[in-house]
Amino acid sequence: EQAIRIFNEIVGKEPSTAEGWLDLARYYVGQEEFDQADQVMGRAVAAVPDSPQVYLFWGTAMERADRFDRAVEVYQRGLGRLPAEPRLYLYLGLALEHRERWEEAMAAYRQGLEGAAEPMSDLRVRWGIVLARQERWEEAVAQFREALAIAPESADALLQWGLVLQRQQRWEEAVDKLGEAAEVGTADTRVLFYLGAGLEQASRELDRRDYFDRAVATFKRLLEIDPDDAYTLNYLGYMFAEKGMNLTEAVEMLLRAVELEPGNSAFYDSLGWAYFRLGELARAEEYLTRALGALTDHDSDEQAVIFDHAGDVARALGKEDEARRHWSRALELGPENEAVRRKLTP
């Protein structure tokens, strides 16, 4: 209550600097009083109309409140005042992407590149990402090339280029490009994660054990940087479980992942599968049951895998009817899965 009185007094005195207004707005955002924050920022731009930080904070505050249309209005208002500010074009495009207004987002990135005082590689990268969403592969890659011409050490441009190659199932080229991204973004754990995942996927598609070993090394490097990276713990633990190797280590990693992010059904599935591979069927059933109880955050392919695993565990426990129910559901979610179809064949 004292803080509110103090901030209300500040409002009455009207801050004289952009930072003063931002301090006030941060308070309201922290309290999730977004209407108040919106009003304060409206007064802020009247007082300091040429501060890009004010428009950027205002827009991101509206995004935090899931008011993306309002955020678009804010960024457009900022660009009306500061047409050479590349960050406003970038944030405008991102807000439009969130609303799936793809053509408008690309137009924002194009305008930013044409009108900004200096070219910004991130505008090219985002433009390429939107093109990739539409499977316009060559156009997307052209944008990533242009981004690298602006910033040759752009790990993000190399990463997104590698992900496009993955989606085209050009596995070896994808691995090479993701490796380049990791070389220039040595401190970027996100790039390392995608490299590890790319190597693991390529190892399955091409039956390359050397890629699998490199994936393991990449994930272990990631865990040296951040031992509590739950997604890396889950990915590597599941890799081991799938291969039937290092199963005790896999269970330890997956238990840690579940501890760090309880309620994640994918993590429960991985742990249940590792216990199944170890032959500990009661624990496998326990965690697969938990996974089945928390499926809402996962797409149909991920759900199909969980139902398939649950079916395997049920059959191993002699629960044939239950196993067939799980596999039938897996096949509904992934009708192209012939391995599951064979399990249902009498």
Side-chain angles (χ1 to χ4, degrees), residues 169-216:
Q169 299 185 1
R170 294 161 63 178
W171 301 108
E172 291 179 338
E173 294 173 77
V175 164
D176 290 343
K177 196 61 64 179
L178 293 170
E180 289 181 50
E183 285 178 14
V184 300
T186 53
D188 192 334
T189 55
R190 182 181 55 114
V191 172
L192 285 175
F193 184 89
Y194 279 114
L195 172 60
L199 284 161
E200 187 273 330
Q201 290 173 47
S203 77
R204 283 186 282 112
E205 296 293 334
L206 304 177
D207 194 21
R208 290 274 300 266
R209 179 56 190 254
D210 59 325
Y211 280 174
F212 180 87
D213 291 341
R214 284 177 59 192
V216 170

Side-chain angles (χ1 to χ4, degrees), residues 7 10 14-30 37 40-45 47-48 51-61 87:
F7 278 111
I10 293 172
E14 297 286 314
S16 58
T17 65
E19 192 57 35
W21 284 104
L22 291 174
D23 279 341
L24 180 58
R26 288 187 190 106
Y27 168 76
Y28 287 121
V29 170
V40 166
M41 296 311 293
R43 290 160 57 200
V45 296
V48 282
S51 169
Q53 287 78 15
V54 169
Y55 295 104
L56 292 168
F57 182 87
W58 189 3
T60 54
R87 290 174 297 171

Side-chain angles (χ1 to χ4, degrees), residues 75-310:
Y75 298 133
Q76 288 174 333
R77 179 173 174 179
L79 286 167
R81 184 78 185 189
L82 303 165
E85 176 51 62
R87 290 174 297 171
L88 285 170
Y89 290 102
L90 178 63
Y91 279 58
L92 170 60
L94 287 166
L96 290 165
E97 282 188 55
H98 194 89
R99 303 299 289 167
E100 298 185 0
R101 293 159 64 178
W102 309 119
E103 295 300 324
E104 292 175 78
M106 288 191 290
Y109 300 138
R110 184 185 306 111
Q111 291 164 9
L113 289 158
E114 292 171 352
E118 295 182 5
M120 187 180 187
S121 66
D122 287 349
L123 291 167
R124 291 281 183 191
V125 172
R126 291 307 316 178
W127 190 350
I129 289 170
V130 176
L131 289 165
R133 284 199 178 101
Q134 300 171 352
E135 298 187 358
R136 294 160 65 177
W137 308 124
E138 291 185 9
E139 294 174 79
V141 168
Q143 292 302 324
F144 301 142
R145 288 184 191 276
E146 291 291 339
L148 289 163
I150 298 169
E153 298 295 302
S154 172
D156 205 31
L158 291 165
L159 168 63
Q160 296 300 332
W161 190 345
L163 294 178
V164 162
L165 292 167
Q166 268 190 325
R167 291 178 64 187
Q168 294 178 285
Q169 299 185 1
R170 294 161 63 178
W171 301 108
E172 291 179 338
E173 294 173 77
V175 164
D176 290 343
K177 196 61 64 179
L178 293 170
E180 289 181 50
E183 285 178 14
V184 300
T186 53
D188 192 334
T189 55
R190 182 181 55 114
V191 172
L192 285 175
F193 184 89
Y194 279 114
L195 172 60
L199 284 161
E200 187 273 330
Q201 290 173 47
S203 77
R204 283 186 282 112
E205 296 293 334
L206 304 177
D207 194 21
R208 290 274 300 266
R209 179 56 190 254
D210 59 325
Y211 280 174
F212 180 87
D213 291 341
R214 284 177 59 192
V216 170
T218 300
F219 285 128
K220 288 196 169 183
R221 180 182 165 195
L222 247 176
L223 291 173
E224 288 174 2
I225 298 169
D226 182 5
D228 291 334
D229 184 331
Y231 285 87
T232 299
L233 288 163
N234 176 69
Y235 205 122
L236 183 54
Y238 185 74
M239 282 172 58
F240 286 155
E242 278 285 271
K243 287 285 186 182
M245 62 185 289
N246 303 339
L247 291 173
T248 301
E249 182 183 359
V251 165
E252 290 173 355
M253 287 190 289
L254 293 165
L255 283 169
R256 180 62 180 149
V258 166
E259 180 185 353
L260 289 165
E261 195 165 316
N264 187 314
S265 62
F267 293 4
Y268 287 143
D269 171 63
S270 299
L271 181 55
W273 192 239
Y275 275 127
F276 174 75
R277 301 287 276 180
L278 264 176
E280 297 189 26
L281 299 183
R283 288 185 174 179
E285 183 180 42
E286 174 191 347
Y287 284 104
L288 262 301
T289 300
R290 292 190 191 185
L292 291 171
L295 288 175
T296 54
D297 292 336
H298 297 279
D299 62 28
S300 58
D301 289 341
E302 293 169 331
Q303 291 184 38
V305 169
I306 295 172
F307 277 108
D308 184 20
H309 288 166

